[in-house]
Amino acid sequence: MLKVPNNQVAGHQAGDGKLGPLVDDSGHFCKPLQSDDRGSKEVFFYTSFSSNTNIPNHIRRFFPNFHGTQLIEASNGSGKQPHLVLQDIFCGRLNPSIMDIKIGSRTWDPEASEDYIQKCFMKDTKRSSLALGFRIDGLQIYESEGSGFWKPDRQLIHEFTADDVRLVLRKFVSSNSSAGVDPDCTFASTVYGGSGGILAQLLELKEWFEHQTIFHFYSCSVLMVCEKESVVKEMSSGAEVKLVDFAHVVEGKGIIDHNFLGGLCSLIKFISEILTCSDVHTAKASLQDPRKNYIYTNCDTDN
Amino acid sequence: MLKVPNNQVAGHQAGDGKLGPLVDDSGHFCKPLQSDDRGSKEVFFYTSFSSNTNIPNHIRRFFPNFHGTQLIEASNGSGKQPHLVLQDIFCGRLNPSIMDIKIGSRTWDPEASEDYIQKCFMKDTKRSSLALGFRIDGLQIYESEGSGFWKPDRQLIHEFTADDVRLVLRKFVSSNSSAGVDPDCTFASTVYGGSGGILAQLLELKEWFEHQTIFHFYSCSVLMVCEKESVVKEMSSGAEVKLVDFAHVVEGKGIIDHNFLGGLCSLIKFISEILTCSDVHTAKASLQDPRKNYIYTNCDTDN
């Protein structure tokens, strides 16, 4: 029983006759292969990554499990199409807050076509990639049973400045993410901090990226997930970091991925600041911009 | 008594009626202010850096001492011109081997003019910056009293590939840097390794760059210096790292310099590899290219 996923925050989305990923009840995420060489590149990455014995196990857990490719009835009604069968990383999650962060000041690899480089270059400059070394590509932040999720639309996200990014990263771990209120960062120490928190996971990834020269991860995202309700109920945040989107991964050829590493370190710095001095940085940019008020979507517990 | 420096490996050079830096006998390096806004930007950087109390002392030592600006008789005979008066970091050095490494896959800051960005972008792509996150901009490697220095010309340096860079970094610490011979890396453990070695210094810088959000160092170079003769005679390598060239430094605005940090980590990886498995990586590219044979210059001990 394939269906449109509830917790997708970025990328092509199924529904309304469009082609997009589907999930089943057994924890699989079926992603249609993109028709140009991006599809085959992503298959190549997963195949190559799965069989590479130089990837340590503590790093492997940051990647979705790969179950091969399969012909599956496509979401746009075009019949059976090839899909990547991956782990559904949100399976069993209760109202997960999710942030999709595309890492790197460059989202294009140096060997891409001139047209493609030019297109990405413009986008990286316009959005925060060039300035911050990363950009938020999608997000949903769980608010409460009554008000559901804050899930800003794409246009709003595309306009995020450095101050907006600071604010959103604070909202991600706050119990009061309402418009006009300074985020309290109540959950920062359990979601970002601690030995199993997001910061510790990002630092583990960073250590690997300081040495690994196998792959260069252009246009790849770090997904950060947590469950605020679980913090309250079970004192466990379910904080998790995953890497996704490998359609632009290329061989490292003995050189570290300095583009990804630089961006990752920048994200780590933003998160560290929230942990060390969350009451000092009161990013106000978005709060003062009426367009950046909240757009609530229904709370969905069916996941 | 101002004179043309003996140990300059990159940048505009004085002599033949050209404008370039001069040194005196008291350990000063006088660098003419570039006429466009690069001159004033570099003065601004040194002034701002000198007075900034947030720069830790163990980091300050990586920067040349700054003694203000002064009107000095220019090397091109154009009369008195404003110069930056800096520490001559090669003063008292005996046949120093020097490498000037421009850090960052981008040498332009995002707020530069479109023309300037385009110019730098082309250069970064053509040379190794984009691929490696850094590029060698100049070098001299001391060979022996008889044969003096290996100081390849600019064109040759501009064509360095990743394998050439690996080879040159090995030659930098070898006792047999002659053409056609695999570098022995005899001095790797004393020059690159150890608590006072170049790797330890680069790692100290890296730690600072993971946190500092004061400056972004576009088009800035790491100078690596050592004295091979001293290793033999005194068991001290005189290994030193300095940062130079700040005409394109801009404010960090609360964001880390992910461009510099990424490139620095890439350089660190190249050097670590020489220390950990110097006998595995026998970069052969240059040795097989007849154009990359040595150009020796006279050994100069007058410094």
Side-chain angles (χ1 to χ4, degrees), chain B residues 109-161:
Chain B
D109 89 86
E111 285 168 26
S113 73
E114 215 167 299
D115 279 357
Y116 184 78
I117 290 177
Q118 198 54 31
K119 194 179 119 191
C120 291
F121 184 82
M122 296 295 286
K123 208 189 268 184
D124 297 344
T125 307
K126 209 172 158 196
R127 297 186 55 189
S128 75
S129 299
L130 191 59
L132 307 189
F134 65 86
R135 68 179 180 233
I136 296 177
D137 240 13
L139 73 120
Q140 65 177 33
I141 295 178
Y142 183 67
E143 178 70 10
S144 69
E145 215 176 316
S147 46
F149 289 93
W150 178 47
K151 195 169 177 175
D153 68 21
R154 289 188 186 196
Q155 193 49 44
L156 191 62
I157 292 173
H158 290 183
E159 291 170 19
F160 277 174
T161 63

Side-chain angles (χ1 to χ4, degrees), chain B residues 212-282:
Chain B
Q212 79 86 14
T213 61
I214 312 168
F215 300 112
H216 284 191
F217 293 86
Y218 293 104
S219 202
C220 163
S221 284
V222 155
L223 276 187
M224 307 195 317
V225 194
C226 74
E227 292 159 86
K228 289 187 192 174
E229 283 178 312
S230 295
V231 181
V232 178
K233 288 179 189 156
E234 300 161 31
M235 294 299 287
S236 146
S237 68
E240 198 172 24
V241 166
K242 289 277 185 195
L243 292 185
V244 295
D245 296 340
F246 308 109
H248 300 280
V249 174
V250 298
E251 282 181 50
K253 296 178 185 168
I255 298 155
I256 67 160
D257 189 352
H258 46 87
N259 176 61
F260 190 99
L261 178 58
L264 183 63
C265 289
S266 179
L267 175 62
I268 284 170
K269 173 69 175 174
F270 271 78
I271 291 176
S272 304
E273 277 182 347
I274 294 173
L275 276 169
T276 51
C277 49
S278 59
D279 48 353
V280 175
H281 295 273
T282 45

Side-chain angles (χ1 to χ4, degrees), chain A residues 105-106 108 110 117 121 129-133 162 166 206 210-211 213 253-256 258 261-263 265-266 269-270 273, chain B residues 105-106 108 110 117 121 129-133 162 166 206 210-211 213 253-256 258 261-263 265-266 269-270 273:
Chain A
S105 67
R106 272 188 288 127
W108 45 275
I117 290 177
F121 183 83
S129 300
L130 191 59
L132 308 189
R166 274 191 196 96
K206 170 180 168 253
E210 285 173 349
H211 301 285
T213 61
K253 296 178 186 167
I255 298 156
I256 66 160
H258 47 86
L261 178 59
C265 289
S266 179
K269 172 69 176 175
F270 272 77
E273 277 182 347
Chain B
S105 66
R106 272 187 288 127
W108 45 273
I117 290 177
F121 184 82
S129 299
L130 191 59
L132 307 189
R166 274 191 196 97
K206 170 182 168 250
E210 284 172 349
H211 300 285
T213 61
K253 296 178 185 168
I255 298 155
I256 67 160
H258 46 87
L261 178 58
C265 289
S266 179
K269 173 69 175 174
F270 271 78
E273 277 182 347

Side-chain angles (χ1 to χ4, degrees), chain B residues 46 49 60-66 86-89 242-246:
Chain B
Y46 272 110
F49 182 85
R60 220 171 264 286
R61 72 182 171 105
F62 291 116
F63 293 77
N65 296 332
F66 174 56
L86 304 169
Q87 172 193 5
D88 175 8
I89 53 187
K242 289 277 185 195
L243 292 185
V244 295
D245 296 340
F246 308 109

Side-chain angles (χ1 to χ4, degrees), chain A residues 99-116:
Chain A
M99 219 177 291
D100 180 307
I101 304 176
K102 203 183 274 284
I103 305 291
S105 67
R106 272 188 288 127
T107 56
W108 45 275
D109 90 87
E111 286 168 25
S113 74
E114 214 167 300
D115 279 358
Y116 184 78

Side-chain angles (χ1 to χ4, degrees), chain A residues 238-295:
Chain A
E240 197 171 26
V241 166
K242 289 276 185 194
L243 293 185
V244 295
D245 295 340
F246 307 108
H248 300 279
V249 173
V250 297
E251 281 180 51
K253 296 178 186 167
I255 298 156
I256 66 160
D257 188 352
H258 47 86
N259 176 61
F260 189 99
L261 178 59
L264 183 63
C265 289
S266 179
L267 174 62
I268 285 170
K269 172 69 176 175
F270 272 77
I271 290 176
S272 304
E273 277 182 347
I274 294 174
L275 276 169
T276 51
C277 49
S278 61
D279 48 352
V280 176
H281 294 274
T282 45
K284 287 171 183 156
S286 289
L287 298 174
Q288 291 162 354
D289 182 343
R291 292 177 311 142
K292 289 173 182 170
N293 279 332
Y294 284 17
I295 301 137

Side-chain angles (χ1 to χ4, degrees), chain A residues 13 42-43 63 144 152 261:
Chain A
Q13 299 188 3
E42 191 154 22
V43 173
F63 292 78
S144 68
L261 178 59

